[in-house]
Amino acid sequence: MLISLSDVFYSIGNMMANPSEGSAACYIQALLISYFELSSMFWTVAIAYTLHQTIIKGNMSFATHDLQANMKLFHQLCWGVPLVLTILPFTTDSYGRAGAWCWISTERGGDAAAGTAWRFIQFYLPLWACIGYNSWVYFHVSKKLVVLRQSIPESGGDANARSYQMLERVKFYPLVLVLCYLFGTINRIYQIFGNPVFWLAVLHTLGASSQGIGNSIVYGLTPAVRSAFLGLIERIRHGRQAHSINASQLAEHHDDDDDGDGDGHGGQLVDDHQHHPDDEDKI
């Protein structure tokens, strides 16, 4: 859920079209992209660290008691470190136009060296450090799961089927960041030594824009998440049906009241009309 939250705001930044240089929208886009891109990346490391503790080290208590105790630390690191890294380029006024969007610019203030340095210090070096750690963890987790799979009979019901699905999914976890940012890294390195290349910029844009959907497929579409989502849809559907039934009953009750009132008033009018001739005779 926390990765999804980061990806939502990151996607909002990407959808802010093409703000003009120096505008408030340009700064907002640069901040949204910088901060939430980093926080999403750090939350993948938190997931990898949890698997590191539980599967590789065999510390199964980490998935229960220790995990709850360490969530505060995860929040501090995954929200706090990106905040510090996002603030750093402000020290050299390096946020501005950076190709297809606003990010860390190499043109603002004429200090291209500062912008280039911040791009790698603030993002690309942490990115590949995270990719390296995640890849190491998932490689060793895969080895553990292969051994586990060999020890579990294939005809073991739903529990074994879920274990096999997890084994197949784990190998894709580190690939999300690699596929999304490989061409972006190549593009930024190439820009240090030469002019931008169109096809490389297109691949960079497509890859960076796919981070949210990549995370949602790999991290989000697990059996537990699908089950929770389908349960939520089912509760919403039943809630709407109950609301519709209550509304129908209320409408029928209202119609019955209207019919009763009409009969009463009609009877009153008839009675009044029948008494009027007698009154006229008395006069």
Side-chain angles (χ1 to χ4, degrees), residues 146-217:
V146 167
V147 174
L148 178 64
R149 181 173 184 176
Q150 291 173 348
S151 66
I152 298 176
E154 293 185 1
S155 57
D158 293 339
N160 289 354
R162 287 193 294 270
S163 298
Y164 300 147
Q165 290 177 359
M166 181 180 178
L167 177 61
E168 293 299 320
R169 294 175 64 83
V170 159
K171 61 187 178 183
F172 294 110
Y173 285 6
L175 289 180
V176 175
L177 291 177
V178 173
L179 294 178
C180 288
Y181 293 107
L182 175 62
F183 290 107
T185 305
I186 295 172
N187 185 40
R188 295 306 186 188
I189 293 174
Y190 185 85
Q191 288 177 0
I192 299 175
F193 305 101
N195 294 323
V197 177
F198 176 74
W199 65 267
L200 196 55
V202 170
L203 292 176
H204 178 184
T205 303
L206 291 175
S209 301
S210 302
Q211 178 180 342
I213 190 171
N215 285 334
S216 67
I217 292 173

Side-chain angles (χ1 to χ4, degrees), residues 6-216:
S6 298
D7 288 339
V8 165
F9 285 99
Y10 171 68
S11 299
I12 290 173
N14 281 327
M15 290 188 295
M16 292 178 64
N18 196 6
S20 58
E21 175 70 43
S23 65
C26 185
Y27 282 109
I28 292 173
Q29 183 183 53
L31 292 175
L32 287 174
I33 290 176
S34 291
Y35 181 73
F36 289 105
E37 193 172 32
L38 287 166
S39 65
S40 176
M41 180 175 69
F42 275 83
W43 278 114
T44 67
V45 174
I47 295 174
Y49 181 75
T50 302
L51 293 176
H52 183 185
Q53 292 296 317
T54 55
I55 297 180
I56 297 176
K57 289 190 173 183
N59 181 14
M60 300 309 297
S61 65
F62 190 90
T64 55
H65 174 73
D66 293 343
L67 179 61
Q68 296 300 322
N70 286 318
M71 277 304 295
K72 183 177 180 181
L73 178 61
F74 284 163
H75 280 286
Q76 291 173 346
L77 293 176
C78 295
W79 301 120
V81 175
L83 179 62
V84 173
L85 293 174
T86 300
I87 292 173
L88 290 177
F90 273 116
T91 61
T92 54
D93 192 26
S94 293
Y95 282 120
R97 295 287 305 148
W101 51 78
C102 290
W103 187 51
I104 300 174
S105 176
T106 57
E107 300 175 1
R108 281 186 63 82
D111 193 354
T116 300
W118 287 131
R119 285 180 176 182
F120 287 89
I121 294 172
Q122 190 247 38
F123 182 71
Y124 285 106
L125 290 179
L127 167 69
W128 286 99
C130 292
I131 289 175
Y133 176 72
N134 288 358
S135 299
W136 180 86
V137 168
Y138 292 124
F139 172 74
H140 287 279
V141 167
S142 296
K143 290 175 62 177
K144 290 277 188 178
L145 291 176
V146 167
V147 174
L148 178 64
R149 181 173 184 176
Q150 291 173 348
S151 66
I152 298 176
E154 293 185 1
S155 57
D158 293 339
N160 289 354
R162 287 193 294 270
S163 298
Y164 300 147
Q165 290 177 359
M166 181 180 178
L167 177 61
E168 293 299 320
R169 294 175 64 83
V170 159
K171 61 187 178 183
F172 294 110
Y173 285 6
L175 289 180
V176 175
L177 291 177
V178 173
L179 294 178
C180 288
Y181 293 107
L182 175 62
F183 290 107
T185 305
I186 295 172
N187 185 40
R188 295 306 186 188
I189 293 174
Y190 185 85
Q191 288 177 0
I192 299 175
F193 305 101
N195 294 323
V197 177
F198 176 74
W199 65 267
L200 196 55
V202 170
L203 292 176
H204 178 184
T205 303
L206 291 175
S209 301
S210 302
Q211 178 180 342
I213 190 171
N215 285 334
S216 67

